[in-house]
Amino acid sequence: MYRKLADKLAKNSVLDRNEYLTLIRNRDSVREYTAQLATETRRHHYGDRIFIRGLIEFTNYCRNNCYYCGIRAGNKCVERYRLSPEEILSCADSGYELGFRTFVLQGGEDKHFTDDLLVYIISEIKKRHPDCAVTLSVGERSFESYRLLREAGADRYLLRHETVNPSHYGMLHPQNMSHDNRLKCLYALKELGYQTGAGFMVGSPGQTDEDLADEMLFLKELDPQMVGIGPFIPHKDTPFSTEEPGSAEMTTFLLSLIRLTLPRVLLPATTALGTIDPLGRERGIMAGANVLMPNLSPAGVRNKYLLYDNKICTGDETAQCIECLKTRITKTGCMIVTERGDYK
Ligand code: SAH
């Protein structure tokens, strides 16, 4: 019976709220079957090719105070850093040598990085590496700012909405942060022609199965080119330090549902998934994911961009990370490729 629902999702790329909810509640009896359908769907659109993105965590200064996040403004234990434009560019240069053709610039919401400064960094990366994509992940900015950054050459933008449920959003964020604005930003990014990524944490405090069913419906409606999900993992110096983490099992099942709902979506198996489960990223790939985002940040700052506890790969060199990932991914029957990996 649950298999029939999974088949229906594979066929129609959508279910109603109750059907999603039924699958989510009974995931243990359809997990493998759904993963099989999801990997077939991925294979149909992208083959067994897994795209890699070089993640440059360029600032851990942040003006926001999200209750879950380790680099929240209120965390006084964080040693703050920001990379200079030269350091960012040299990360991209060495990433290029390693085969990366997408660079993801991610950071806290740091006023130091004005439109002018980001425009300079983006256009310089594009000038040096015209065959590469630049992805931004720097939070909420004005429409005008998004427009300028897009004009400077940014191709993609990751902005997880964190939760579709406004009252749940209010449990995860202080009053001065607005769910409405976050969603407005996502629609603005789409309008400006960015390949846009939405997403949420799995198992964040207060999240219900109903919320997760609503996430699927929201993603269907928004129709983003990328979706980032990973388990919530507590960070010791945040208000959520004693909350339960999300599970790898739920995360991988949702990856399968997302693959079937948005067949061509670019879907990472995230570092958080690899942190909560030593084989998490492999399991994510086998559930339908097709993107990995190894860390390209300079060795000296890697252990300072800690959104959650026990983050993996904070001590390794990028070259080591890639070798390790290649071995791991080969075992899943897929292979890492070095191309831009745009949305089809
Ligand atoms: N400042 C940017 C980038 C945020 S960091 C922005 O606002 O978009 C990227 C993502 O990490 C967040 O969107 C959030 O979903 C995730 N994250 C933050 N803290 C986390 C935690 N404790 N556990 C798991 N994921 C977390």
Side-chain angles (χ1 to χ4, degrees):
M1 168 204 174
Y2 304 130
R3 280 191 176 215
K4 285 239 166 63
L5 272 184
D7 284 330
K8 183 174 176 186
L9 175 57
K11 179 158 169 274
N12 301 342
S13 303
V14 71
L15 292 174
D16 67 26
R17 187 176 193 260
N18 253 317
E19 292 170 326
Y20 275 122
L21 190 56
T22 303
L23 279 181
I24 288 166
R25 287 195 173 141
N26 298 284
R27 58 192 175 280
D28 282 337
S29 31
V30 273
R31 162 186 313 288
E32 273 179 42
Y33 186 67
T34 310
Q36 199 182 311
L37 294 174
T39 49
E40 276 165 23
T41 300
R42 184 204 54 216
R43 195 169 295 127
H44 179 76
H45 293 286
Y46 293 102
D48 285 318
R49 300 181 0 263
I50 305 299
F51 304 115
I52 49 169
R53 321 295 196 198
L55 184 62
I56 304 173
E57 299 156 335
F58 68 95
T59 174
N60 71 355
Y61 282 87
C62 191
R63 66 189 169 113
N64 289 329
N65 238 330
C66 310
Y67 299 142
Y68 46 84
C69 184
I71 63 166
R72 64 200 300 272
N75 183 1
K76 301 300 175 213
C77 306
V78 181
E79 195 186 319
R80 303 285 169 176
Y81 74 90
R82 49 174 76 98
L83 301 183
S84 67
E86 294 68 35
E87 287 174 305
I88 296 171
L89 294 168
S90 100
C91 270
D93 292 343
S94 51
Y96 191 87
E97 294 303 314
L98 289 166
F100 288 103
R101 294 297 177 267
T102 293
F103 303 109
V104 182
L105 303 180
Q106 187 177 86
E109 291 194 14
D110 180 357
K111 279 269 191 299
H112 174 84
F113 288 93
T114 57
D115 292 342
D116 283 351
L117 188 49
L118 285 175
V119 162
Y120 167 72
I121 294 164
I122 295 161
S123 43
E124 192 61 26
I125 295 178
K126 296 293 279 196
K127 194 165 97 193
R128 295 185 188 188
H129 309 294
D131 53 337
C132 289
V134 171
T135 305
L136 299 176
S137 177
V138 290
E140 295 169 41
R141 302 175 76 96
S142 67
F143 187 89
E144 183 56 13
S145 170
Y146 287 151
R147 196 181 64 73
L148 290 169
L149 304 179
R150 174 90 184 107
E151 260 178 18
D155 304 276
R156 309 184 188 135
Y157 204 107
L158 304 174
L159 186 80
R160 293 185 178 180
H161 56 285
E162 314 299 357
T163 172
V164 66
N165 175 341
S167 72
H168 185 217
Y169 189 90
M171 294 172 57
L172 303 177
H173 303 94
Q175 284 248 309
N176 68 334
M177 292 182 70
S178 149
H179 185 246
D180 226 37
N181 191 58
R182 193 116 186 135
L183 298 187
K184 277 203 189 103
C185 286
L186 273 175
Y187 286 102
L189 292 164
K190 277 201 87 182
E191 185 184 330
L192 287 163
Y194 284 96
Q195 292 177 45
T196 302
F200 55 90
M201 289 175 290
V202 177
S204 58
Q207 184 179 64
T208 64
D209 289 347
E210 286 79 2
D211 290 333
L212 292 172
D214 287 333
E215 293 297 352
M216 298 303 117
L217 295 176
F218 172 69
L219 289 176
K220 188 70 197 175
E221 178 197 309
L222 178 69
D223 195 24
Q225 288 83 16
M226 307 174 282
V227 174
I229 66 164
F232 159 72
I233 304 174
H235 183 291
K236 60 178 175 16
D237 302 315
T238 62
F240 286 170
S241 59
T242 60
E243 299 288 340
E244 283 295 310
S247 74
E249 286 68 30
M250 181 65 100
T251 305
T252 51
F253 185 68
L254 293 172
L255 285 171
S256 297
L257 294 189
I258 294 167
R259 167 64 61 207
L260 293 172
T261 301
L262 303 170
R264 293 175 298 159
V265 77
L266 293 160
L267 190 62
T270 55
T271 304
L273 182 54
T275 296
I276 205 81
D277 176 341
L279 292 176
R281 285 167 302 174
E282 291 90 322
R283 294 195 162 118
I285 298 294
M286 290 187 292
N290 66 338
V291 172
L292 291 165
M293 299 171 68
N295 199 325
L296 256 184
S297 310
V301 304
R302 274 185 190 207
N303 57 355
K304 301 194 178 86
Y305 194 84
L306 301 179
L307 310 181
Y308 46 80
D309 289 335
N310 306 314
K311 184 179 174 196
I312 54 169
C313 307
T314 55
D316 302 353
E317 293 289 330
T318 307
Q320 270 175 280
C321 279
I322 297 182
E323 283 316 306
C324 167
L325 281 174
K326 276 186 185 158
T327 317
R328 286 166 175 263
I329 295 315
T330 308
K331 289 179 186 157
T332 69
C334 292
M335 61 175 191
I336 288 178
V337 295
T338 57
E339 45 189 276
R340 270 178 59 129
D342 284 296
Y343 183 77
K344 281 197 178 170

